[in-house]
Amino acid sequence: METTGKKKLQIALYWGAACGGCDVAVLDTNEFILDVAAIADIRMWPIATDGKYKDIEAMEDGELDLVLFNGAVRNSENEHVAKLLRRKARVMVAFGSCAHIGGIPGLANQVTKEEIFDRAYLNNPSIEPGNRTVPLPESHVEAGALEIPTAYKRVYKLDDIVPIDYYVPGCPPLPAQIKGVLLAVATGQLPARGSVVGAGHRTVCDDCRRTRHERKIKKFYRPWQIIQDPETCLLEQGIVCAGSATRSGCGVRCPNSNMPCRGCYGPAPNVKDQGAKIVSAVASIIDSKDPAEIDRILEDVPDIMGYAYRFGLPASMLQRRI
Ligand code: SF4
Ligand code: SF4
């Protein structure tokens, strides 16, 4: 890998509210990771190295050439580290769907924090009566005070908390996107700040090879409920697909594997609200004008919020339940 400077790149990877898949995706770059090790010092990467926050605090501002931050912001620790890394980073990337648009953790914005705590710690069939404990930000034990992060009332996407230089969408991002970002930073060939990197400028539908016939439907199905026609648009077969609302660039991974797009690349350019556009696509495919029949047909879509805002509720116009 050719680089412009002699000094090794200083990079950090961090996860906020996330599943860890974005970190695993970095390992999916296979032997390229050895090239990275040759040109870069990895100063922090909690999944792989035992970094401490005090090591980051001790750095000069701007000392890190690149931070890949995956995960949304759900609690005070996520926010603290996001702000800390922002200060230390020359280039900060919202890496993966959760940092980009809130991701799966953002679905929690459908309910209140109190409802989540009630379900997780109080009224849950797996908790024995008498053993119900709600975690507190600070507790006092014999050895002293114990602190844990404070959970926030809602989930935030990363740029709600700190300014971001680039966005790499995907759940998780593809190895080619990861290589692209690292190479761009290494060679100084960065696109305009604020760009979505490693993605297209159209919709997933625009890249999809399946044929659309402008057919309407009277029934929705889960992917496993029918034997599908591999040549025809999934939505026209009654399988809810988010392709028309979603940014291209993944190579139509899911529809090409006979699964519907779930929207992980976020809203396509010119789509203001990805979920609203998906709801509109679902409504427009229904072959009925009778409200009672429409209601019956929609009963086959059991969780329309989960379909429409699977990845982007914190970035949507709705954002959260008040
Ligand atoms: S809705 Fe899905 S299956 Fe249909 S054309 Fe778009 S991406 Fe392809
Ligand atoms: S098809 Fe949709 S859900 Fe699947 S990887 Fe592409 S953008 Fe993500």
Side-chain angles (χ1 to χ4, degrees), residues 203-212 228 231-237 239-246 252 254-256 259-261 281:
T203 68
V204 174
C205 280
D206 290 331
D207 287 355
C208 183
R209 60 171 174 74
R210 288 173 181 261
T211 309
R212 277 166 284 174
Q228 52 169 270
E231 305 302 327
T232 298
C233 169
L234 291 165
L235 193 57
E236 292 192 359
Q237 298 180 67
I239 297 172
V240 176
C241 182
S244 63
T246 301
V252 199
C254 301
N256 283 351
M259 291 299 286
C261 172

Side-chain angles (χ1 to χ4, degrees), residues 42-45 49-60 63-64 84-85 88:
I42 297 176
R43 302 286 296 274
M44 183 184 216
W45 190 8
T49 63
D50 183 24
K52 300 282 188 268
Y53 295 159
K54 66 176 169 47
D55 299 331
I56 301 291
E57 280 156 11
M59 290 178 191
E60 300 287 329
E63 186 171 329
L64 292 169
L84 179 62
L85 286 170
K88 307 299 175 185

Side-chain angles (χ1 to χ4, degrees), residues 111-225:
V111 292
T112 64
K113 173 184 156 182
E114 289 71 29
E115 285 168 311
I116 293 170
F117 271 46
D118 182 73
R119 184 66 176 163
Y121 302 115
L122 296 173
N123 291 304
N124 184 314
S126 68
I127 299 174
E128 287 176 10
N131 194 19
R132 294 183 171 136
T133 308
V134 176
L136 299 171
E138 188 174 321
S139 324
H140 293 274
V141 294
E142 230 175 80
L146 291 177
E147 287 181 13
I148 59 170
T150 303
Y152 290 163
K153 285 187 181 302
R154 57 163 289 187
V155 174
Y156 296 90
K157 58 189 168 61
L158 190 55
D159 69 4
D160 289 329
I161 304 300
V162 290
I164 291 302
D165 299 307
Y166 301 103
Y167 302 85
V168 175
C171 181
L174 292 167
Q177 291 169 283
I178 300 164
K179 289 181 193 176
V181 171
L182 287 164
L183 286 170
V185 174
T187 58
Q189 291 172 348
L190 288 160
R193 271 184 202 273
S195 304
V196 177
V197 180
H201 302 285
R202 318 195 305 168
T203 68
V204 174
C205 280
D206 290 331
D207 287 355
C208 183
R209 60 171 174 74
R210 288 173 181 261
T211 309
R212 277 166 284 174
H213 306 276
E214 313 243 336
R215 264 185 217 143
K216 301 226 174 215
I217 53 140
K218 287 216 178 265
K219 184 161 176 54
F220 286 102
Y221 300 93
R222 311 294 284 272
W224 46 268
Q225 286 179 309

